[in-house]
Amino acid sequence: MITDKQKALDRRYLRMAKIWSENSYCQRRQVGALIVKDKMIISDGYNGTPSGFENCCEDENGLTKLYVLHAEANAITKLACSSNNSLGATLYVTTSPCIECAKLIIQAGIKRIVYCEKYRLTDGLDILERAGIEMQYIDKSEL
Ligand SMILES: [Zn+2]
């Protein structure tokens, strides 16, 4: 059961994730993510190229470069470089996770996901559901 207070917090964190997505240099789609644990934001991410690479995410044909990391992958791997961890945490992400990120989310011990936009492919959501991860969709109009 999600309390009204939790619902209000979920909307605020998701709005923050949306603002964070503005850091992305990607032209096709900007995605932002926050990882929250014990009422603390312990990591953040947005879609982009690996550290030290050029910022541009698309090739000369306008296609997303293969080495671009998704927002969730950036947030999870940032934690791998820190002393904190995502066990039992909540992931706030503006677009629903793809299958590659879903695998990372499961293995990272994240227990809940809140998102506001559905990615065209839903195989990520399918395996998250299979893993028993709680998922909350909040429509953009309710943010
Ligand atoms: Zn992904």
Side-chain angles (χ1 to χ4, degrees):
M1 184 61 199
I2 295 160
T3 60
D4 286 347
K5 192 182 169 193
Q6 186 61 53
K7 279 182 197 163
L9 282 173
D10 284 347
R11 284 197 298 271
R12 280 183 208 125
Y13 279 130
L14 211 46
R15 285 206 300 272
M16 287 174 76
K18 185 91 191 148
I19 288 167
W20 207 240
S21 74
E22 293 170 14
N23 284 309
S24 175
Y25 287 89
C26 293
Q27 285 167 2
R28 286 167 66 103
R29 185 198 293 270
Q30 293 180 309
V31 183
L34 291 179
I35 298 176
V36 176
K37 182 176 174 177
D38 301 330
K39 295 175 184 164
M40 278 185 290
I41 297 170
I42 58 167
S43 194
D44 60 82
Y46 51 87
N47 53 331
T49 54
S51 306
F53 283 51
E54 74 290 348
N55 284 324
C56 180
C57 295
E58 288 85 14
D59 64 18
E60 59 276 11
N61 299 314
L63 297 170
T64 301
K65 292 171 184 168
L66 288 173
Y67 50 83
V68 166
L69 286 135
H70 287 176
E72 310 90 305
N74 268 324
I76 290 168
T77 51
K78 200 168 166 177
L79 269 178
C81 297
S82 83
S83 56
N84 214 332
N85 71 74
S86 50
L87 190 64
T90 297
L91 169 75
Y92 293 89
V93 63
T94 53
T95 304
S96 63
C98 71
I99 193 151
E100 292 302 322
C101 291
K103 288 188 266 185
L104 295 176
I105 291 163
I106 296 166
Q107 295 302 79
I110 288 167
K111 71 161 188 353
R112 188 167 173 260
I113 299 174
V114 185
Y115 66 98
C116 59
E117 201 176 308
K118 284 182 180 127
Y119 186 53
R120 68 187 158 83
L121 301 171
T122 57
D123 47 1
L125 291 176
D126 294 342
I127 70 152
L128 288 167
E129 196 181 337
R130 184 171 156 189
I133 291 170
E134 191 187 325
M135 281 176 289
Q136 206 88 45
Y137 167 74
I138 300 176
D139 193 85
K140 272 190 281 185
S141 64
E142 293 171 49
L143 292 183

